[in-house]
Coordinates of all heavy atoms in Angstrom, one line a residue:
A1 N 1.2 -9.1 -18.8 CA 2.2 -10.0 -18.2 C 1.5 -11.3 -17.9 O 0.4 -11.4 -17.4 CB 2.9 -9.4 -17.0
V2 N 2.2 -12.4 -18.2 CA 1.7 -13.7 -17.8 C 2.0 -14.0 -16.4 O 3.1 -13.8 -15.9 CB 2.4 -14.8 -18.7 CG1 2.0 -16.2 -18.3 CG2 2.1 -14.5 -20.2
V3 N 1.0 -14.5 -15.7 CA 1.2 -14.8 -14.2 C 1.5 -16.3 -14.1 O 0.7 -17.1 -14.5 CB -0.1 -14.4 -13.4 CG1 0.1 -14.8 -12.0 CG2 -0.4 -12.9 -13.6
S4 N 2.6 -16.6 -13.6 CA 3.0 -18.0 -13.4 C 2.4 -18.5 -12.1 O 2.0 -17.7 -11.2 CB 4.5 -18.2 -13.4 OG 5.1 -17.6 -12.2
T5 N 2.4 -19.8 -11.9 CA 2.0 -20.4 -10.6 C 2.8 -19.9 -9.5 O 2.3 -19.6 -8.4 CB 2.1 -22.0 -10.7 OG1 1.4 -22.4 -11.9 CG2 1.4 -22.6 -9.5
Q6 N 4.1 -19.8 -9.7 CA 5.0 -19.3 -8.6 C 4.6 -17.9 -8.2 O 4.5 -17.6 -7.0 CB 6.5 -19.3 -9.1 CG 7.4 -18.8 -8.0 CD 8.8 -18.6 -8.5 OE1 9.1 -19.0 -9.7 NE2 9.7 -18.1 -7.7
S7 N 4.4 -17.0 -9.2 CA 4.0 -15.6 -8.8 C 2.7 -15.6 -8.1 O 2.4 -14.7 -7.2 CB 4.1 -14.7 -10.0 OG 3.1 -15.0 -10.9
T8 N 1.7 -16.5 -8.5 CA 0.4 -16.5 -7.8 C 0.6 -16.9 -6.4 O 0.1 -16.3 -5.5 CB -0.5 -17.5 -8.5 OG1 -0.6 -17.1 -9.9 CG2 -1.9 -17.5 -7.9
G9 N 1.5 -18.0 -6.1 CA 1.8 -18.4 -4.8 C 2.5 -17.3 -4.0 O 2.2 -17.0 -2.8
T10 N 3.4 -16.6 -4.7 CA 4.1 -15.5 -4.0 C 3.1 -14.4 -3.7 O 3.1 -13.8 -2.6 CB 5.2 -14.9 -5.0 OG1 6.1 -16.0 -5.3 CG2 5.9 -13.8 -4.3
T11 N 2.1 -14.1 -4.6 CA 1.1 -13.0 -4.3 C 0.3 -13.4 -3.1 O 0.0 -12.6 -2.2 CB 0.2 -12.9 -5.6 OG1 1.0 -12.5 -6.7 CG2 -0.9 -11.8 -5.3
I12 N -0.1 -14.7 -3.0 CA -0.8 -15.1 -1.8 C 0.0 -14.9 -0.5 O -0.5 -14.4 0.5 CB -1.2 -16.6 -2.0 CG1 -2.3 -16.7 -3.1 CG2 -1.8 -17.2 -0.6 CD1 -2.5 -18.1 -3.5
M13 N 1.3 -15.2 -0.6 CA 2.1 -15.0 0.6 C 2.3 -13.6 1.0 O 2.3 -13.2 2.1 CB 3.5 -15.7 0.4 CG 3.5 -17.2 0.3 SD 5.1 -18.0 0.4 CE 6.0 -17.2 -1.0
I14 N 2.4 -12.7 -0.1 CA 2.5 -11.3 0.2 C 1.2 -10.7 0.8 O 1.3 -10.0 1.8 CB 2.8 -10.5 -1.2 CG1 4.1 -10.8 -1.7 CG2 2.5 -9.0 -1.0 CD1 4.4 -10.4 -3.2
K15 N 0.1 -11.1 0.3 CA -1.2 -10.7 0.9 C -1.3 -11.2 2.3 O -1.8 -10.4 3.2 CB -2.4 -11.1 0.0 CG -2.5 -10.4 -1.3 CD -3.6 -10.9 -2.1 CE -3.8 -10.2 -3.4 NZ -5.0 -10.7 -4.1
E16 N -0.9 -12.4 2.6 CA -1.0 -12.9 3.9 C -0.1 -12.2 4.9 O -0.5 -11.9 6.0 CB -0.7 -14.4 3.9 CG -0.7 -15.0 5.3 CD -1.3 -16.4 5.4 OE1 -1.9 -16.8 4.4 OE2 -1.1 -17.0 6.4
L17 N 1.1 -11.9 4.5 CA 2.0 -11.2 5.3 C 1.5 -9.8 5.6 O 1.6 -9.3 6.7 CB 3.4 -11.1 4.6 CG 4.6 -10.5 5.4 CD1 4.8 -11.3 6.7 CD2 5.8 -10.5 4.6
L18 N 0.9 -9.1 4.6 CA 0.3 -7.8 4.7 C -0.8 -7.9 5.8 O -0.8 -7.0 6.7 CB -0.2 -7.3 3.4 CG 0.7 -6.5 2.5 CD1 0.0 -6.3 1.2 CD2 1.1 -5.2 3.1
D19 N -1.7 -8.8 5.6 CA -2.8 -8.9 6.5 C -2.5 -9.3 7.9 O -3.1 -8.8 8.9 CB -3.9 -9.9 5.9 CG -4.6 -9.4 4.7 OD1 -4.5 -8.1 4.5 OD2 -5.2 -10.2 4.0
T20 N -1.5 -10.1 8.1 CA -1.2 -10.6 9.5 C -0.2 -9.8 10.2 O -0.3 -9.7 11.5 CB -0.8 -12.1 9.4 OG1 0.4 -12.2 8.6 CG2 -1.9 -13.0 8.9
R21 N 0.8 -9.3 9.5 CA 1.9 -8.6 10.3 C 2.0 -7.1 10.0 O 2.5 -6.4 10.9 CB 3.2 -9.3 9.9 CG 3.3 -10.7 10.4 CD 4.7 -11.2 10.3 NE 4.8 -12.5 10.9 CZ 5.6 -12.8 11.9 NH1 6.4 -11.8 12.5 NH2 5.6 -14.0 12.4
I22 N 1.6 -6.7 8.8 CA 1.9 -5.3 8.5 C 0.7 -4.4 8.7 O 0.8 -3.4 9.4 CB 2.4 -5.2 7.0 CG1 3.8 -5.9 6.9 CG2 2.6 -3.7 6.6 CD1 4.3 -6.2 5.6
R23 N -0.4 -4.8 8.1 CA -1.6 -3.9 8.2 C -2.1 -3.6 9.7 O -2.4 -2.5 10.0 CB -2.8 -4.5 7.5 CG -2.7 -4.4 6.0 CD -3.9 -4.9 5.2 NE -5.0 -3.9 5.4 CZ -6.2 -4.3 5.6 NH1 -6.6 -5.6 5.6 NH2 -7.2 -3.4 5.7
P24 N -2.0 -4.6 10.6 CA -2.5 -4.3 12.0 C -1.6 -3.2 12.6 O -2.1 -2.3 13.3 CB -2.3 -5.6 12.7 CG -2.4 -6.7 11.7 CD -1.8 -6.1 10.4
T25 N -0.3 -3.2 12.4 CA 0.6 -2.2 12.9 C 0.3 -0.8 12.3 O 0.2 0.2 13.0 CB 2.1 -2.6 12.7 OG1 2.3 -3.9 13.2 CG2 3.0 -1.6 13.3
V26 N 0.1 -0.8 11.0 CA -0.1 0.5 10.3 C -1.5 1.0 10.7 O -1.6 2.2 10.9 CB -0.1 0.2 8.7 CG1 -0.6 1.4 8.0 CG2 1.3 -0.2 8.3
M27 N -2.5 0.2 10.9 CA -3.8 0.6 11.3 C -3.8 1.2 12.7 O -4.6 2.1 13.0 CB -4.8 -0.5 11.2 CG -5.1 -1.0 9.7 SD -6.1 -2.4 9.6 CE -7.6 -1.7 9.3
E28 N -2.9 0.8 13.5 CA -2.8 1.4 14.9 C -2.4 2.9 14.8 O -2.8 3.7 15.7 CB -1.7 0.7 15.7 CG -2.1 -0.7 16.2 CD -1.0 -1.4 17.0 OE1 0.1 -0.7 17.2 OE2 -1.1 -2.5 17.3
D29 N -1.8 3.3 13.7 CA -1.4 4.7 13.5 C -2.4 5.4 12.6 O -2.1 6.5 12.1 CB 0.0 4.8 12.9 CG 1.1 4.3 13.9 OD1 0.9 4.5 15.1 OD2 2.1 3.8 13.4
G30 N -3.5 4.8 12.4 CA -4.6 5.5 11.6 C -4.5 5.3 10.1 O -5.1 6.0 9.3
G31 N -3.6 4.5 9.6 CA -3.4 4.3 8.2 C -3.8 2.9 7.7 O -4.4 2.1 8.5
D32 N -3.6 2.6 6.5 CA -3.9 1.3 6.0 C -3.1 1.1 4.7 O -2.6 2.1 4.1 CB -5.4 1.2 5.6 CG -5.8 -0.3 5.6 OD1 -5.0 -1.2 5.7 OD2 -7.0 -0.6 5.3
I33 N -2.9 -0.1 4.3 CA -2.2 -0.4 3.1 C -3.0 -1.4 2.3 O -3.6 -2.4 2.8 CB -0.8 -1.1 3.5 CG1 0.1 -0.1 4.2 CG2 -0.1 -1.6 2.2 CD1 1.4 -0.6 4.6
R34 N -3.1 -1.2 1.0 CA -3.8 -2.1 0.1 C -2.8 -2.6 -0.9 O -2.1 -1.9 -1.6 CB -4.9 -1.3 -0.6 CG -5.9 -2.1 -1.4 CD -7.0 -1.3 -2.0 NE -6.6 -0.2 -2.8 CZ -6.3 -0.2 -4.1 NH1 -6.3 -1.4 -4.7 NH2 -6.0 0.9 -4.7
F35 N -2.9 -3.9 -1.1 CA -2.1 -4.6 -2.2 C -2.6 -4.2 -3.5 O -3.8 -4.2 -3.8 CB -2.2 -6.1 -2.0 CG -1.5 -6.9 -3.1 CD1 -0.1 -7.1 -3.0 CD2 -2.2 -7.4 -4.2 CE1 0.5 -7.8 -4.1 CE2 -1.6 -8.1 -5.2 CZ -0.2 -8.3 -5.1
V36 N -1.7 -3.8 -4.4 CA -2.1 -3.4 -5.8 C -1.6 -4.5 -6.8 O -2.4 -5.0 -7.5 CB -1.5 -2.0 -6.2 CG1 -1.8 -1.7 -7.6 CG2 -2.1 -1.0 -5.2
S37 N -0.3 -4.8 -6.7 CA 0.2 -5.8 -7.7 C 1.5 -6.3 -7.2 O 2.2 -5.8 -6.4 CB 0.3 -5.2 -9.1 OG 1.3 -4.2 -9.1
F38 N 1.9 -7.5 -7.9 CA 3.3 -8.0 -7.7 C 3.7 -8.5 -9.1 O 3.0 -9.4 -9.7 CB 3.3 -9.2 -6.8 CG 4.6 -9.9 -6.7 CD1 5.7 -9.3 -6.1 CD2 4.7 -11.2 -7.3 CE1 6.9 -10.0 -6.1 CE2 6.0 -11.8 -7.2 CZ 7.1 -11.2 -6.6
E39 N 4.7 -7.8 -9.6 CA 5.2 -8.2 -11.0 C 6.7 -7.9 -11.1 O 7.2 -6.9 -10.6 CB 4.4 -7.3 -12.0 CG 4.7 -7.7 -13.4 CD 3.8 -6.9 -14.4 OE1 2.8 -6.4 -14.0 OE2 4.2 -6.9 -15.6
D40 N 7.4 -8.9 -11.7 CA 8.9 -8.7 -11.8 C 9.6 -8.4 -10.5 O 10.5 -7.7 -10.5 CB 9.2 -7.7 -12.9 CG 8.6 -8.0 -14.3 OD1 8.5 -9.2 -14.6 OD2 8.2 -7.0 -15.0
G41 N 9.1 -9.0 -9.4 CA 9.8 -8.9 -8.1 C 9.4 -7.6 -7.4 O 9.9 -7.4 -6.3
I42 N 8.5 -6.8 -8.0 CA 8.2 -5.5 -7.3 C 6.7 -5.6 -6.8 O 5.8 -5.9 -7.5 CB 8.3 -4.4 -8.4 CG1 9.7 -4.3 -8.9 CG2 7.8 -3.1 -7.7 CD1 9.9 -3.3 -10.0
V43 N 6.6 -5.3 -5.5 CA 5.3 -5.3 -4.9 C 4.9 -3.8 -4.9 O 5.6 -2.9 -4.5 CB 5.4 -5.7 -3.4 CG1 4.0 -5.6 -2.7 CG2 5.9 -7.2 -3.3
K44 N 3.7 -3.6 -5.4 CA 3.1 -2.2 -5.4 C 2.0 -2.2 -4.4 O 1.1 -3.0 -4.4 CB 2.6 -1.8 -6.8 CG 3.8 -1.7 -7.7 CD 3.5 -1.2 -9.1 CE 4.7 -1.1 -9.9 NZ 4.5 -0.6 -11.2
L45 N 2.1 -1.2 -3.5 CA 1.1 -1.0 -2.5 C 0.5 0.4 -2.5 O 1.2 1.4 -2.8 CB 1.7 -1.2 -1.1 CG 2.4 -2.6 -0.9 CD1 3.2 -2.5 0.5 CD2 1.4 -3.7 -0.9
A46 N -0.8 0.5 -2.1 CA -1.4 1.8 -2.0 C -1.5 2.2 -0.5 O -2.0 1.4 0.2 CB -2.8 1.8 -2.7
L47 N -0.9 3.3 -0.2 CA -1.0 3.8 1.2 C -2.3 4.6 1.4 O -2.6 5.4 0.6 CB 0.2 4.6 1.5 CG 1.6 4.0 1.3 CD1 2.7 4.9 1.6 CD2 1.8 2.7 2.1
Q48 N -3.0 4.3 2.4 CA -4.3 4.9 2.7 C -4.4 5.5 4.1 O -3.5 5.2 4.9 CB -5.4 3.9 2.5 CG -5.4 3.3 1.1 CD -6.5 2.2 1.0 OE1 -6.6 1.3 1.9 NE2 -7.1 2.1 -0.2
G49 N -5.4 6.3 4.3 CA -5.6 6.9 5.6 C -4.5 7.9 5.9 O -4.0 8.6 5.0
S50 N -4.0 7.9 7.2 CA -3.0 8.8 7.6 C -1.7 8.5 6.9 O -0.8 9.4 6.8 CB -2.8 8.8 9.1 OG -2.4 7.5 9.5
C51 N -1.5 7.3 6.3 CA -0.3 7.0 5.6 C -0.1 7.7 4.3 O 1.0 8.0 3.9 CB -0.2 5.5 5.3 SG 0.0 4.5 6.7
S52 N -1.2 8.1 3.6 CA -1.2 8.6 2.3 C -0.4 9.9 2.2 O 0.2 10.2 1.2 CB -2.5 8.7 1.6 OG -3.4 9.6 2.4
G53 N -0.5 10.7 3.2 CA 0.2 12.0 3.1 C 1.3 12.1 4.1 O 2.0 13.2 4.2
C54 N 1.7 11.1 4.8 CA 2.7 11.1 5.9 C 4.1 11.2 5.3 O 4.4 10.4 4.5 CB 2.5 9.9 6.8 SG 3.7 9.8 8.1
P55 N 4.9 12.2 5.8 CA 6.2 12.3 5.2 C 7.1 11.1 5.6 O 8.0 10.7 4.8 CB 6.8 13.5 5.9 CG 5.8 14.1 6.8 CD 4.5 13.2 6.7
S56 N 6.8 10.4 6.7 CA 7.7 9.2 7.0 C 7.2 7.9 6.4 O 7.8 6.9 6.7 CB 7.8 9.1 8.6 OG 6.5 8.9 9.1
S57 N 6.2 8.0 5.6 CA 5.6 6.7 5.0 C 6.6 6.1 4.1 O 6.7 4.9 4.0 CB 4.3 7.0 4.3 OG 4.5 7.8 3.2
S58 N 7.5 6.9 3.4 CA 8.5 6.3 2.5 C 9.5 5.5 3.3 O 10.0 4.5 2.9 CB 9.1 7.3 1.6 OG 9.8 8.3 2.3
V59 N 9.9 6.0 4.5 CA 10.9 5.4 5.3 C 10.3 4.1 5.9 O 10.9 3.0 5.8 CB 11.3 6.3 6.5 CG1 12.2 5.5 7.5 CG2 12.0 7.5 6.0
T60 N 9.0 4.1 6.3 CA 8.3 2.9 6.8 C 8.2 1.9 5.7 O 8.5 0.7 5.9 CB 6.9 3.3 7.2 OG1 7.0 4.3 8.3 CG2 6.1 2.1 7.7
L61 N 7.9 2.4 4.5 CA 7.8 1.5 3.3 C 9.1 0.7 3.0 O 9.1 -0.5 2.9 CB 7.4 2.3 2.1 CG 6.9 1.4 0.9 CD1 5.6 0.8 1.2 CD2 6.8 2.3 -0.3
K62 N 10.2 1.5 3.0 CA 11.5 0.9 2.6 C 12.1 0.1 3.8 O 12.5 -1.0 3.7 CB 12.5 1.9 2.1 CG 12.1 2.4 0.8 CD 12.3 1.3 -0.3 CE 11.8 1.8 -1.7 NZ 11.8 0.7 -2.6
N63 N 12.2 0.8 5.0 CA 12.9 0.1 6.1 C 12.1 -0.9 6.8 O 12.6 -1.9 7.3 CB 13.3 1.2 7.1 CG 14.4 2.1 6.6 OD1 15.0 1.9 5.5 ND2 14.6 3.2 7.3
G64 N 10.8 -0.7 6.8 CA 9.9 -1.7 7.6 C 9.3 -2.7 6.6 O 9.7 -3.9 6.7
I65 N 8.5 -2.3 5.8 CA 7.7 -3.2 4.9 C 8.6 -4.0 4.0 O 8.5 -5.2 3.9 CB 6.5 -2.5 4.2 CG1 5.6 -1.9 5.3 CG2 5.8 -3.4 3.3 CD1 4.6 -0.9 4.8
E66 N 9.4 -3.3 3.2 CA 10.3 -3.9 2.2 C 11.2 -4.9 2.9 O 11.3 -6.1 2.4 CB 11.1 -2.9 1.4 CG 11.9 -3.5 0.3 CD 12.6 -2.5 -0.5 OE1 12.0 -2.0 -1.5 OE2 13.8 -2.1 -0.2
N67 N 11.8 -4.5 4.0 CA 12.7 -5.5 4.7 C 12.0 -6.7 5.2 O 12.5 -7.8 5.0 CB 13.4 -4.8 5.9 CG 14.5 -3.8 5.4 OD1 14.9 -3.8 4.3 ND2 14.9 -2.9 6.3
M68 N 10.8 -6.5 5.7 CA 10.0 -7.7 6.2 C 9.6 -8.6 5.0 O 9.8 -9.8 5.1 CB 8.8 -7.3 7.0 CG 8.0 -8.4 7.5 SD 6.6 -8.0 8.5 CE 7.3 -7.4 10.0
M69 N 9.2 -8.0 3.9 CA 8.8 -8.8 2.8 C 9.9 -9.6 2.2 O 9.8 -10.8 1.9 CB 8.2 -7.8 1.7 CG 6.9 -7.2 1.9 SD 5.6 -8.2 1.3 CE 4.2 -7.2 1.7
Q70 N 11.1 -8.9 2.1 CA 12.3 -9.6 1.6 C 12.8 -10.7 2.5 O 13.3 -11.7 2.0 CB 13.4 -8.6 1.3 CG 13.1 -7.7 0.1 CD 14.1 -6.6 0.0 OE1 14.7 -6.2 0.9 NE2 14.2 -6.1 -1.3
F71 N 12.6 -10.5 3.8 CA 13.0 -11.6 4.8 C 12.2 -12.8 4.6 O 12.7 -13.9 4.6 CB 12.9 -11.0 6.2 CG 13.3 -12.0 7.2 CD1 14.6 -12.2 7.5 CD2 12.3 -12.7 7.9 CE1 15.0 -13.1 8.5 CE2 12.7 -13.6 8.9 CZ 14.0 -13.8 9.2
Y72 N 10.8 -12.6 4.5 CA 9.9 -13.8 4.5 C 9.7 -14.3 3.1 O 9.4 -15.5 2.9 CB 8.6 -13.4 5.1 CG 8.7 -13.3 6.6 CD1 8.6 -12.1 7.2 CD2 8.7 -14.4 7.4 CE1 8.7 -12.0 8.6 CE2 8.8 -14.3 8.8 CZ 8.8 -13.1 9.4 OH 8.8 -13.0 10.7
I73 N 9.9 -13.4 2.1 CA 9.5 -13.8 0.7 C 10.7 -13.4 -0.2 O 10.7 -12.2 -0.7 CB 8.2 -13.2 0.2 CG1 7.1 -13.5 1.2 CG2 7.8 -13.6 -1.2 CD1 5.9 -12.6 1.1
P74 N 11.7 -14.3 -0.5 CA 12.9 -13.9 -1.2 C 12.6 -13.4 -2.7 O 13.4 -12.7 -3.2 CB 13.7 -15.2 -1.3 CG 13.1 -16.1 -0.2 CD 11.7 -15.7 0.0
E75 N 11.4 -13.8 -3.2 CA 11.1 -13.3 -4.6 C 10.8 -11.8 -4.7 O 10.9 -11.2 -5.7 CB 9.8 -14.0 -5.1 CG 10.0 -15.5 -5.3 CD 9.7 -16.4 -4.0 OE1 9.5 -15.8 -2.9 OE2 9.8 -17.6 -4.1
V76 N 10.6 -11.2 -3.5 CA 10.3 -9.8 -3.5 C 11.7 -9.0 -3.6 O 12.6 -9.2 -2.7 CB 9.6 -9.3 -2.2 CG1 9.5 -7.8 -2.1 CG2 8.2 -10.0 -2.1
L77 N 11.8 -8.2 -4.6 CA 13.0 -7.4 -4.8 C 12.9 -6.0 -4.3 O 13.8 -5.4 -3.9 CB 13.4 -7.4 -6.3 CG 13.6 -8.8 -7.0 CD1 13.8 -8.6 -8.5 CD2 14.7 -9.6 -6.3
S78 N 11.7 -5.5 -4.4 CA 11.4 -4.1 -4.0 C 9.9 -3.9 -3.7 O 9.1 -4.7 -4.1 CB 11.8 -3.2 -5.2 OG 11.5 -1.9 -4.9
V79 N 9.7 -2.9 -2.9 CA 8.3 -2.5 -2.5 C 8.2 -1.0 -2.9 O 9.0 -0.2 -2.5 CB 8.0 -2.7 -1.0 CG1 6.6 -2.2 -0.7 CG2 8.1 -4.2 -0.7
E80 N 7.1 -0.7 -3.6 CA 6.9 0.7 -4.0 C 5.5 1.1 -3.7 O 4.5 0.3 -3.7 CB 7.0 0.8 -5.6 CG 8.4 0.5 -6.1 CD 8.5 0.5 -7.6 OE1 7.5 0.8 -8.2 OE2 9.6 0.3 -8.1
A81 N 5.3 2.4 -3.4 CA 4.0 3.0 -3.1 C 3.5 3.5 -4.4 O 4.2 4.1 -5.2 CB 4.1 4.1 -2.1
V82 N 2.2 3.3 -4.7 CA 1.6 3.8 -5.9 C 0.4 4.7 -5.4 O -0.1 4.5 -4.3 CB 1.1 2.7 -6.9 CG1 2.3 2.0 -7.4 CG2 0.1 1.8 -6.2
D83 N 0.0 5.6 -6.2 CA -1.1 6.5 -5.8 C -2.4 5.6 -5.8 O -2.6 4.8 -6.7 CB -1.3 7.6 -6.9 CG -0.1 8.6 -6.8 OD1 0.5 8.8 -5.7 OD2 0.2 9.3 -7.8
D84 N -3.1 5.9 -4.8 CA -4.4 5.1 -4.6 C -5.5 6.0 -5.3 O -5.8 7.1 -4.8 CB -4.7 4.9 -3.1 CG -5.9 4.1 -2.9 OD1 -6.4 3.4 -3.9 OD2 -6.4 4.1 -1.8
E85 N -6.1 5.4 -6.3 CA -7.1 6.2 -7.1 C -8.3 6.5 -6.2 O -8.9 7.6 -6.3 CB -7.5 5.4 -8.3 CG -6.4 5.2 -9.3 CD -6.7 4.1 -10.3 OE1 -7.8 3.5 -10.3 OE2 -5.7 3.7 -11.0
I86 N -8.7 5.6 -5.3 CA -9.8 5.9 -4.4 C -9.5 7.0 -3.5 O -10.3 7.9 -3.3 CB -10.1 4.6 -3.6 CG1 -10.6 3.5 -4.6 CG2 -11.2 4.9 -2.6 CD1 -10.7 2.1 -3.9
A87 N -8.3 7.0 -2.9 CA -7.9 8.1 -2.0 C -7.8 9.5 -2.7 O -8.3 10.5 -2.2 CB -6.6 7.8 -1.3
E88 N -7.3 9.4 -4.0 CA -7.3 10.7 -4.8 C -8.6 11.2 -5.0 O -8.9 12.4 -4.9 CB -6.5 10.4 -6.1 CG -5.0 10.3 -5.9 CD -4.3 10.1 -7.2 OE1 -4.9 10.3 -8.3 OE2 -3.1 9.7 -7.2
L89 N -9.6 10.3 -5.4 CA -10.9 10.7 -5.6 C -11.6 11.3 -4.4 O -12.2 12.3 -4.4 CB -11.8 9.6 -6.2 CG -13.2 9.9 -6.5 CD1 -13.3 10.9 -7.6 CD2 -13.9 8.6 -7.0
Q90 N -11.4 10.6 -3.2 CA -11.9 11.1 -2.0 C -11.3 12.5 -1.6 O -12.1 13.4 -1.3 CB -11.6 10.2 -0.8 CG -12.4 8.9 -0.8 CD -11.9 7.9 0.2 OE1 -10.7 7.9 0.6 NE2 -12.8 7.0 0.6
N91 N -10.0 12.7 -1.8 CA -9.4 14.0 -1.5 C -10.0 15.1 -2.4 O -10.2 16.2 -2.0 CB -7.9 13.9 -1.7 CG -7.3 13.2 -0.6 OD1 -7.8 13.0 0.5 ND2 -6.1 12.6 -0.8
K92 N -10.2 14.7 -3.7 CA -10.8 15.7 -4.7 C -12.2 16.1 -4.2 O -12.5 17.3 -4.2 CB -10.8 15.1 -6.1 CG -11.3 16.0 -7.1 CD -11.3 15.4 -8.5 CE -11.9 16.4 -9.5 NZ -12.6 15.7 -10.5
V93 N -13.0 15.1 -3.8 CA -14.4 15.4 -3.4 C -14.3 16.3 -2.1 O -15.1 17.3 -2.0 CB -15.2 14.1 -3.2 CG1 -16.5 14.4 -2.5 CG2 -15.4 13.4 -4.5
F94 N -13.5 16.0 -1.2 CA -13.4 16.7 0.1 C -12.9 18.2 -0.2 O -13.4 19.1 0.4 CB -12.4 16.1 1.1 CG -13.1 14.9 1.8 CD1 -12.4 13.7 1.8 CD2 -14.3 15.0 2.4 CE1 -13.0 12.6 2.5 CE2 -14.9 13.9 3.0 CZ -14.2 12.7 3.1
D95 N -11.9 18.3 -1.1 CA -11.4 19.6 -1.5 C -12.5 20.5 -2.1 O -12.7 21.7 -1.8 CB -10.2 19.6 -2.4 CG -9.0 19.0 -1.7 OD1 -8.9 19.0 -0.5 OD2 -8.0 18.6 -2.5
E96 N -13.3 19.9 -3.0 CA -14.4 20.6 -3.6 C -15.5 21.0 -2.6 O -16.0 22.1 -2.6 CB -15.1 19.7 -4.7 CG -14.2 19.6 -5.9 CD -14.7 18.6 -6.9 OE1 -15.8 18.0 -6.7 OE2 -14.0 18.4 -8.0
F97 N -15.7 20.1 -1.6 CA -16.7 20.4 -0.6 C -16.2 21.5 0.3 O -17.0 22.4 0.6 CB -17.0 19.1 0.3 CG -18.0 19.3 1.3 CD1 -19.3 19.5 1.0 CD2 -17.7 19.3 2.7 CE1 -20.3 19.6 2.0 CE2 -18.6 19.4 3.6 CZ -20.0 19.6 3.3
D98 N -14.9 21.5 0.7 CA -14.3 22.5 1.5 C -14.4 23.9 0.7 O -14.7 24.9 1.4 CB -12.9 22.3 1.8 CG -12.7 21.3 2.9 OD1 -13.6 21.0 3.6 OD2 -11.5 20.8 3.1
Q99 N -14.2 23.9 -0.6 CA -14.3 25.1 -1.4 C -15.7 25.6 -1.3 O -15.9 26.8 -1.2 CB -13.8 24.8 -2.8 CG -13.6 26.1 -3.6 CD -12.6 27.0 -3.0 OE1 -11.5 26.6 -2.6 NE2 -12.9 28.3 -2.9
T100 N -16.7 24.7 -1.5 CA -18.1 25.1 -1.4 C -18.4 25.8 -0.1 O -19.1 26.8 0.0 CB -19.0 23.9 -1.6 OG1 -18.6 23.3 -2.9 CG2 -20.4 24.3 -1.7
L101 N -17.9 25.2 1.0 CA -18.2 25.8 2.3 C -17.5 27.1 2.5 O -18.1 28.0 3.1 CB -17.7 24.8 3.4 CG -18.4 23.5 3.6 CD1 -17.7 22.6 4.7 CD2 -19.9 23.8 4.0
N102 N -16.3 27.2 2.0 CA -15.5 28.5 2.1 C -16.2 29.6 1.2 O -16.0 30.8 1.6 CB -14.1 28.3 1.6 CG -13.3 27.5 2.6 OD1 -13.7 27.4 3.8 ND2 -12.3 26.8 2.2
D103 N -16.8 29.2 0.1 CA -17.5 30.2 -0.7 C -18.8 30.8 -0.1 O -19.2 31.8 -0.5 CB -17.8 29.6 -2.1 CG -16.6 29.3 -2.9 OD1 -15.5 29.8 -2.6 OD2 -16.7 28.6 -3.9
K104 N -19.3 30.1 0.9 CA -20.6 30.6 1.5 C -20.3 31.6 2.6 O -19.4 31.7 3.2 CB -21.3 29.4 2.1 CG -21.9 28.5 1.0 CD -22.7 27.4 1.5 CE -23.2 26.6 0.3 NZ -24.1 25.6 0.7

């Protein structure tokens, strides 16, 4: 996809909003959010820490983060969670380690 100047400016605004208003609140609950991409009006975020497996994270994502993004940045049509490859790799390593401990 071709990135226009507008979407680059929008991406900067999204990252700033994440860093200043959203991440501090999420981090208080032991989680974190990482910006993945912004394309065709859709913001993709990776939920990390306690957020990655939390059942209420989808509610937080839609009711909290998406609403705030749309309020401040009209170009945002939707916010979606995507699997965080780093978190998946960490979970795999921890699971293998746990299995090794259980086998002993």
Side-chain angles (χ1 to χ4, degrees):
V2 176
V3 177
S4 69
T5 307
Q6 179 186 357
S7 65
T8 303
T10 302
T11 300
I12 292 168
M13 291 190 306
I14 290 167
K15 288 179 177 181
E16 177 142 345
L17 187 60
L18 272 173
D19 288 344
T20 59
R21 295 196 173 236
I22 297 168
R23 285 186 72 219
T25 304
V26 172
M27 292 172 98
E28 285 177 9
D29 291 331
D32 201 359
I33 295 180
R34 185 174 59 82
F35 174 83
V36 175
S37 67
F38 174 71
E39 189 174 339
D40 299 326
I42 300 170
V43 177
K44 293 189 179 179
L45 304 172
L47 304 176
Q48 300 175 319
S50 63
C51 290
S52 62
C54 177
S56 62
S57 64
S58 61
V59 174
T60 301
L61 191 72
K62 289 293 176 187
N63 293 348
I65 298 168
E66 184 176 272
N67 287 346
M68 183 181 285
M69 288 268 180
Q70 291 173 333
F71 179 81
Y72 288 105
I73 307 165
E75 294 85 358
V76 172
L77 303 177
S78 176
V79 176
E80 297 176 0
V82 294
D83 291 333
D84 185 16
E85 294 162 11
I86 295 169
E88 284 182 15
L89 183 60
Q90 287 173 335
N91 288 338
K92 182 179 177 211
V93 170
F94 284 129
D95 289 345
E96 289 171 359
F97 183 69
D98 280 346
Q99 190 60 46
T100 304
L101 290 176
N102 290 335
D103 290 345
K104 291 185 178 183

